Amino acid sequence: MPWRMTTPLLRRDLPTPALLIDRAALERNIAAMAAFAEAQGVALRPHAKTHKSGEIARRQIVAGAAGICCAKLGEAEALAADGVANIHLTSPVVTPAAIGRLAALDRRIALSVVVDHPDNARALGAVEGLTVFIDLDPGSHRTGVTSAEAAVALARAIAATGTLKLGGVQYYCGSHQHIQSLAERRAAIVERTEYLREVLGALADAGFAIPVVTGGGTGTFAIDASLGVFTELQVGSYIFLDREYLDCELAGPSFEPALFVDATVVSANTPGMVTIDAGLKAFATDAGVPVVLDGAPEGTRYAFTGDEHGALLGDGLPELGARVTLMPPHCDPTVNLYDLYHVLDGDMVTGSWPVTARGRST
């Protein structure tokens, strides 16, 4: 069992490496996005692949979200078991065994799922009354139909089942979220949104009503809302604001970092370098290295040195036993490395929240 606190304690007394949430910053981020969506007249369906937490999902729904998104069926099952009752699955579910699990989940909660192939629509037709969304490829070719004609053909296959309900279209420009220049990101999204309009027009001409257009993300939500096509936003990382998004010129309301990893200096024997107890098992590595925020001089650099360890490089480094705070480069896969969030209220750790859907990738 993971170590779990039983009474409040000072932050400096928490065992490391530790994943921490600044509660006040998290709540301000949740409130800011909810207020933005309400002002824009769009629904909010935050993506739980970022936090994988029943506690955080419930806070987002209380703040006004219509429900949440999950990337995988296993995530949805775990969060549903923790009381989350309105979930949209953003990845296809295709195997007979998984469709059986999907049917069982659909009987328990309000559920929808994407589909991008007529054969999958016919298989999903066994789930009476299931709501499905046409997944539209924005050009990355990861998932989704690749043309307006394919979208219309898929809509016809959905209708032909006689059992499925067409809930709308999903359109997620994932490769555009981290374009650092706001002007360049906006130009790219404007162009991709024109394609989305073409697909929606083709579906309308074929007689298919599309009540919901869902998608977007933390990098593009304000642009998406301004273009007036999306009815629902699937933002995720705004609640934590990792280093990747801090590197971007974002539009819309201001968000603040709320997710951190605390570590301890465990060796200090080499000039210009100390070793901390947070390495490859403490941070996702796909987006580079974490940023040293506190406990070491400005300009201190981090380097991975192994599964359990990392190096801090620079001058005036902290002494043996000192605590340092780092910002994850990419929050989603970093969260998936931990069992618990430790909740900060000022300098006190006042609670622990399970990472409910950790490892639920099936």
Side-chain angles (χ1 to χ4, degrees):
M1 293 292 292
W3 179 90
R4 188 165 186 172
M5 61 174 292
T6 56
T7 59
L9 73 162
L10 288 168
R11 180 177 184 172
R12 66 171 180 260
D13 294 329
L14 186 68
T16 61
L19 187 69
L20 296 113
I21 287 178
D22 183 320
R23 185 201 300 268
L26 175 77
E27 290 178 348
R28 287 191 292 268
N29 289 344
I30 290 173
M33 185 62 82
F36 173 85
E38 182 178 16
Q40 296 294 316
V42 295
L44 188 61
R45 186 175 289 276
H47 215 310
K49 71 183 178 68
T50 297
H51 56 71
K52 302 173 182 64
S53 163
E55 178 67 33
I56 295 175
R58 287 189 291 273
R59 288 168 182 260
Q60 291 173 313
I61 291 168
V62 167
I68 63 164
C69 297
C70 287
K72 294 294 189 73
L73 178 57
E75 283 182 352
E77 290 169 326
L79 291 172
D82 201 30
V84 180
N86 191 312
I87 298 176
H88 171 65
L89 274 166
T90 61
S91 298
V93 175
V94 301
T95 67
I99 292 172
R101 290 163 54 200
L102 186 77
L105 187 60
D106 186 55
R107 291 191 290 270
R108 295 170 47 210
I109 66 168
L111 183 68
S112 57
V113 63
V114 297
V115 60
D116 72 356
H117 196 286
D119 287 349
N120 189 208
R122 286 185 278 271
L124 291 172
V127 187
E128 181 79 32
L130 178 66
T131 298
V132 297
F133 280 67
I134 295 172
D135 189 15
L136 178 61
D137 174 23
S140 61
H141 306 314
R142 183 171 65 182
T143 65
V145 295
T146 57
S147 68
E149 294 79 11
V152 171
L154 180 55
R156 289 176 175 147
I158 291 167
T161 66
T163 56
L164 299 178
K165 179 166 63 175
L166 179 58
V169 165
Q170 175 179 283
Y171 192 60
Y172 176 57
C173 295
S175 62
H176 297 75
Q177 300 301 314
H178 293 103
I179 296 174
Q180 292 191 358
S181 162
L182 177 58
E184 292 177 9
R185 195 179 332 118
R186 180 178 178 83
I189 290 298
V190 167
E191 187 274 330
R192 286 291 79 197
T193 302
E194 285 307 306
Y195 172 61
L196 173 59
R197 292 183 200 273
E198 292 174 13
V199 176
L200 293 173
L203 287 164
D205 290 345
F208 294 101
I210 302 298
V212 176
V213 179
T214 186
T218 297
T220 64
F221 72 91
I223 303 167
D224 295 323
S226 73
L227 296 177
V229 179
F230 284 93
T231 66
E232 183 177 86
L233 298 174
Q234 294 183 3
V235 286
S237 299
Y238 75 97
I239 57 166
F240 294 148
L241 204 65
D242 58 21
R243 197 225 68 229
E244 280 194 298
Y245 276 116
L246 277 180
D247 288 345
C248 291
E249 184 184 358
L250 297 178
S254 295
F255 303 105
E256 56 191 294
L259 184 77
F260 310 99
V261 172
D262 275 8
T264 301
V265 176
V266 295
S267 182
N269 297 325
T270 302
M273 170 183 162
V274 298
T275 298
I276 61 173
D277 59 355
L280 294 168
K281 293 179 181 177
F283 300 100
T285 63
D286 61 300
V289 297
V291 177
V292 182
L293 295 178
D294 193 29
E298 185 176 353
T300 299
R301 304 180 311 281
Y302 175 94
F304 289 105
T305 59
D307 290 353
E308 316 297 343
H309 302 113
L312 301 185
L313 307 170
D315 298 319
L317 295 171
E319 297 178 349
L320 187 70
R323 302 294 288 260
V324 293
T325 298
L326 304 101
M327 175 189 294
H330 186 183
C331 54
D332 302 24
T334 295
V335 166
N336 200 48
L337 297 171
Y338 292 84
D339 292 308
L340 297 171
Y341 296 103
H342 299 290
V343 182
L344 280 176
D345 286 293
D347 289 330
M348 296 297 296
V349 181
T350 57
S352 296
W353 297 343
V355 182
T356 316
R358 180 191 179 186
R360 297 298 299 270
S361 59
T362 59

